[in-house]
Amino acid sequence: MSEAKIIDGKAFAANLRESLARRAAVLKNEHGLTPGLAVVLVGEDPASQVYVRNKAKQTVEVGFQSFEHKLDVETPEADLLALVETLNKDDAVHGILVQLPLPDHIDSQKVLDSIDPAKDVDGFHAINIGRLWSGMDALVPCTPLGCSLMLKDTLGDLSGLNAVIVGRSNIVGKPMAALLIKESCTVTICHSRTKDLPAVCREADILVAAVGRAEMVRGDWIKPGATVIDVGINRIDAPEKGEGKTRLVGDVAFDEAVQVAGAITPVPGGVGPMTIACLLVNTLSAACRQHGIEEPADPGA
Ligand code: NDP
């Protein structure tokens, strides 16, 4: 059997951002509207700082306005809630993202629930979760949204396909299931208590791995020709690169899976780059909905 098609998330995300930039230009010219995204970071977690920097950079690159709020790690919960309230009322801000994880003294759920659902571009507010599961228009969590876009681009119509999702988190596994049900897939969600996980995975036409365990999904868990979406990001030792060096791998044993699957996302360069691009997709949608404007088509498409 020939090797799987590699789904290039980096290129896909770059195309998506170019399309967003063209659509943002239409919004500005025809409606005088510039989508605005506010990102709030509490503390100095190095990984979060990198994410926030990348988000701000890409927000500006597509022609949106970026508002960054960096708060001290000791910031009281009440101050963070007050900032969110200010952003909820700010007409220039159409999307609000509070970078997780928050310090232990802050109740993350309380903060996420304080974001106006119309500006909840992470899609974590209970209103958006309910809307998604009800099949209504919703702001959808960015990572599963990116996976769904890549799946539709790779496979076209997903209707009737067996989809198996390994992982039931609120940010990936569960919203991924909702999106695939919407596409008329037959969906199975697996987790740490699932019996005979390899056998369940072997039934999948679409296999989404969102576990957080390096290379757990082996090649012989995959149905020949299946489409594999690897959400996992795991840093492992890489002595072959030198002492103390590390590298990123997914939840899927890529070298084995690529021999069996029909298509597969690599790590890095698969799902990861799509997440920020989808945050911008959500920001544009949120801006249009808040102004009662139909989302502009891409003039370059
Ligand atoms: P969580 O830790 O919240 O959830 C992991 C899920 O995997 C849980 O449902 C858990 O089951 C399940 N699980 C754990 N061990 C096993 C096992 N041995 N067999 C079957 N299921 C198992 O993780 P997230 O959903 O937040 O993230 C998953 C991965 O995706 C991580 O590597 C993360 O870094 C990555 N990620 C990547 C993003 C991107 O932009 N590319 C964005 C978000 C996450 P149970 O519920 O029973 O405990």
Side-chain angles (χ1 to χ4, degrees), residues 221-281:
W221 297 22
I222 295 167
K223 178 174 167 178
T227 301
V228 178
I229 304 289
D230 190 353
V231 183
I233 303 176
N234 309 288
R235 191 165 283 285
I236 61 167
D237 291 338
E240 73 280 3
K241 287 167 72 180
E243 206 188 309
K245 296 284 184 196
T246 60
R247 67 188 172 97
L248 291 181
V249 295
D251 290 341
V252 178
F254 183 86
D255 291 345
E256 295 174 14
V258 78
Q259 308 294 333
V260 189
I264 185 168
T265 58
V267 177
V271 175
M274 286 297 286
T275 298
I276 299 183
C278 287
L279 176 68
L280 302 174
V281 167

Side-chain angles (χ1 to χ4, degrees), residues 137-269:
D137 273 346
L139 290 166
V140 177
C142 304
T143 300
L145 179 59
C147 296
S148 154
L149 292 177
M150 289 193 290
L151 279 169
K152 285 194 267 187
D153 185 68
T154 305
L155 293 169
D157 185 10
L158 309 184
S159 173
L161 296 179
N162 275 346
V164 173
I165 301 161
V166 191
R168 57 174 163 179
S169 73
N170 289 330
I171 63 167
V172 189
K174 284 184 200 156
M176 188 75 243
L179 286 171
L180 291 175
I181 289 171
K182 216 171 169 181
E183 295 300 325
S184 298
C185 291
T186 303
V187 178
T188 305
I189 307 185
C190 304
H191 44 74
S192 63
R193 307 292 176 88
T194 298
K195 288 186 183 145
D196 200 354
L197 183 60
V200 180
C201 291
R202 269 181 223 118
E203 296 296 315
D205 303 309
I206 294 170
L207 179 60
V208 180
V211 187
R213 289 179 183 264
E215 300 178 324
M216 186 186 85
V217 176
R218 312 308 307 189
D220 64 1
W221 297 22
I222 295 167
K223 178 174 167 178
T227 301
V228 178
I229 304 289
D230 190 353
V231 183
I233 303 176
N234 309 288
R235 191 165 283 285
I236 61 167
D237 291 338
E240 73 280 3
K241 287 167 72 180
E243 206 188 309
K245 296 284 184 196
T246 60
R247 67 188 172 97
L248 291 181
V249 295
D251 290 341
V252 178
F254 183 86
D255 291 345
E256 295 174 14
V258 78
Q259 308 294 333
V260 189
I264 185 168
T265 58
V267 177

Side-chain angles (χ1 to χ4, degrees), residues 4-26:
K5 174 191 169 196
I6 308 297
I7 303 172
D8 185 346
K10 204 172 165 191
F12 198 114
N15 286 337
L16 196 52
R17 288 196 303 272
E18 280 172 21
S19 166
L20 280 165
R22 290 189 292 266
R23 296 169 72 205
V26 173

